[in-house]
Amino acid sequence: MQKTLVGNSPAPAHSKSTEGYLFVDNARFLSIVCIVLLHANWFEIDRSPSLFESTIVALRGFGILTFFVITSFLMAAKMQKPRFEVLSYYWERVNRIGKPYLVWLGVLVSITFARLIALGKFRLIDIPLEIWHTTFFTAFWYIPVLLFSLAIMLLLRHHWWKPWFPVAAFGASLVYAINQYFQWFIPVHSFAFFGFLFYMWVGLWLYRNLERIQPWVRALPWWKLLAMAALGLALATAESRLLIHLGSLNPYDGLRISNQLYALICLVVILKLPWRLAPSFVDVRKDSYGIHLIQVLVNMLGKSAITLLLFVLGIDQSFTFFDRVPEYVPNPLVRVAIWFSWFVLVYGTSLKITQQIRRTRLAWTVGGG
C-alpha cells in the first residue's frame, strides 16, 4: 500500500517529535496568523497604498500556499499508517473539515439574512447570491478548494512521482499567475480549484525527502536565507503595485508568480527554524481550524458594530466607513497600527471562542471531538 500511494520507494517514517513536525506546527501557526491578518485588513480597498502598506500586505502572502503544503505533508504521513484506505481517509477529512465549515457558513449566512430583513432589503434572489458570496469571497473559500484539491490528488495518486505530474501542476499554478495580467477568467484565487495542486505535491515531496532536505536546510547560512526572503518579499511587493497600476481586481492574489516564489523561500525559512513559534496558550493542532472558521464571524460582527456606532454618533451616515478608511485615516503608519490592533483583537477573540467550544459537546464544530 505504501509503495502504491506514496511512491515507488518507501518513504521514511517520521516521529511526531522530529523537526519535521515542529516545522508543521510552525507552518500551521504562521499560516493562520497570515490568514487572519489578511481578513482583518481595514484598508485593502485603497487603490493607491503607500509602499509600506503594500509591503505589509505582501509580507503575509505566503500563508495560504504554506497551508496547502502542510496539508499534503500530513496526508503523506497518514498514508504510512497500516490499513490506510483512500476513501476512509477522504471521508474522515470531509467529516472533520466539511461539517464544521457548513455550520459556520450557515451561521454567517443567517446573520447576513437577518441584517437584510432588519433593513427591509431582503429578497429571495439574495439567498443563492449571499451563499455564493460567503462561500467564495470570504476566508471560507479555502475549505471547498481544499477538499477538491485533496480529491484530485488522491485520484491521481499513482502518478505523483511521474515527471509530468509536478510539471502539469505547476503549469496550472502558472496559468493563474499569468491570468492576473490577461484576465481570461476571474483573477481570484478563491476560484483556483487547480491552482494549488503543485503546492500539495510539494508537501508530498517534502515528506518523502525530509531526512535528506533537513541537513541541507540546516547548512544554509541564515544571512543568505533571510536575504533571499527579503528579495522574494520585494518582488511580491513590486508585482502587487504593478497589478494595482494595471487595475487588477486582486493585486495581492496568492497565486501571482512573485508570491509563489516568495512562499517557497518562506517554506525553507520555516523548515530551518529550530524553535516553536506559537505561544504556550495556543495549541496549533487543536485551535487552528476553529480560529480559521470563527475569525470570519468575529471580523464581520466587529466591523458591523463599528459601522453602526459611527452611524449612531453621526460620524458616518453612509455606512461606507470601511470603504473610505484611507480618507478618514490618511497616515499609513496609523492605518497599519489600527490594522494590527484589530488583528490582535480578532485573533484573540477567535482563539478564546475556539478553546471554549472545544470543552463542550460541540467541539466537532471547530474540528475537534
Side-chain angles (χ1 to χ4, degrees):
M1 182 69 71
Q2 178 176 309
K3 292 182 180 180
T4 301
L5 297 178
V6 177
N8 295 324
S9 59
H14 307 300
S15 165
K16 286 189 177 182
S17 61
T18 64
E19 290 182 64
Y21 284 90
L22 174 63
F23 137 73
V24 170
D25 286 346
N26 283 337
R28 184 187 281 119
F29 173 70
L30 288 174
S31 294
I32 288 295
V33 166
C34 289
I35 289 169
V36 178
L37 195 60
L38 164 64
H39 294 282
N41 193 349
W42 278 26
F43 57 84
E44 194 170 10
I45 295 177
D46 189 357
R47 301 305 300 180
S48 56
S50 66
L51 178 60
F52 177 63
E53 289 169 301
S54 294
T55 303
I56 295 297
V57 176
L59 179 66
R60 52 93 193 132
F62 68 91
I64 192 62
L65 298 181
T66 303
F67 227 130
F68 278 94
V69 171
I70 61 173
T71 295
S72 58
F73 182 95
L74 293 173
M75 178 177 72
K78 285 270 189 181
M79 297 174 85
Q80 301 311 303
K81 293 185 176 181
R83 301 177 184 174
F84 175 87
E85 295 181 0
V86 171
L87 289 178
S88 296
Y89 169 78
Y90 189 74
W91 183 243
E92 186 271 335
R93 290 289 84 195
V94 170
N95 275 292
R96 195 172 184 85
I97 298 174
K99 287 184 178 180
Y101 157 72
L102 291 175
V103 169
W104 293 102
L105 179 71
V107 170
L108 192 61
V109 170
S110 298
I111 292 174
T112 301
F113 289 157
R115 179 177 61 84
L116 291 174
I117 292 171
L119 294 173
K121 297 181 179 180
F122 178 77
R123 300 172 301 168
L124 290 177
I125 194 175
D126 290 327
I127 295 177
L129 292 176
E130 287 297 332
I131 292 174
W132 175 263
H133 180 271
T134 306
T135 300
F136 291 107
F137 291 93
T138 69
F140 286 155
W141 72 266
Y142 170 73
I143 291 88
V145 172
L146 173 65
L147 291 176
F148 177 86
S149 300
L150 275 175
I152 295 297
M153 293 298 291
L154 289 170
L155 284 171
L156 298 176
R157 62 191 181 277
H158 300 294
H159 304 284
W160 288 346
W161 309 118
K162 294 179 181 178
W164 65 265
F165 188 90
V167 173
F170 181 70
S173 298
L174 197 58
V175 167
Y176 286 98
I178 297 172
N179 181 61
Q180 286 292 317
Y181 296 91
F182 294 95
Q183 298 189 23
W184 301 309
F185 47 87
I186 299 176
V188 180
H189 60 233
S190 55
F191 294 102
F193 284 92
F194 294 94
F196 300 98
L197 297 180
F198 176 72
Y199 294 92
M200 299 202 76
W201 180 86
V202 169
L204 297 170
W205 178 87
L206 184 60
Y207 181 86
R208 195 183 193 205
N209 297 281
L210 188 61
E211 292 182 355
R212 291 189 289 270
I213 293 297
Q214 284 182 322
W216 175 78
V217 171
R218 282 195 293 265
L220 282 174
W222 268 111
W223 72 268
K224 287 185 178 180
L225 192 52
L226 293 178
M228 290 174 60
L231 177 60
L233 176 59
L235 291 173
T237 302
E239 187 177 18
S240 67
R241 292 180 70 81
L242 172 62
L243 288 169
I244 290 173
H245 176 73
L246 296 175
S248 171
L249 297 175
N250 191 21
Y252 298 105
D253 189 273
L255 286 171
R256 67 190 190 281
I257 190 62
S258 60
N259 190 65
Q260 294 189 50
L261 174 63
Y262 170 58
L264 290 172
I265 297 171
C266 288
L267 181 64
V268 179
V269 172
I270 297 170
L271 273 167
K272 188 174 175 63
L273 291 173
W275 57 83
R276 172 187 163 92
L277 294 179
S280 58
F281 56 83
V282 178
D283 187 328
V284 292
R285 299 185 186 186
K286 296 180 180 179
D287 294 332
S288 294
Y289 189 47
I291 294 172
H292 175 80
L293 293 172
I294 294 172
Q295 60 95 13
V296 181
L297 189 63
V298 172
N299 195 46
M300 186 197 75
L301 291 177
K303 286 185 175 181
S304 296
I306 291 173
T307 300
L308 181 60
L309 178 63
L310 293 175
F311 176 80
V312 171
L313 295 176
I315 298 175
D316 179 30
Q317 300 290 313
S318 63
F319 296 100
T320 59
F321 172 75
F322 289 101
D323 294 337
R324 300 165 61 190
V325 169
E327 298 177 28
Y328 287 107
V329 188
N331 189 310
L333 293 176
V334 175
R335 288 204 294 265
V336 171
I338 293 173
W339 175 27
F340 274 79
S341 299
W342 185 249
F343 156 75
V344 171
L345 179 62
V346 171
Y347 182 93
T349 303
S350 303
L351 172 64
K352 188 65 176 178
I353 293 173
T354 297
Q355 292 176 336
Q356 291 298 320
I357 292 176
R358 284 206 293 110
R359 298 187 179 98
T360 71
R361 294 181 179 179
L362 295 177
W364 63 271
T365 64
V366 291

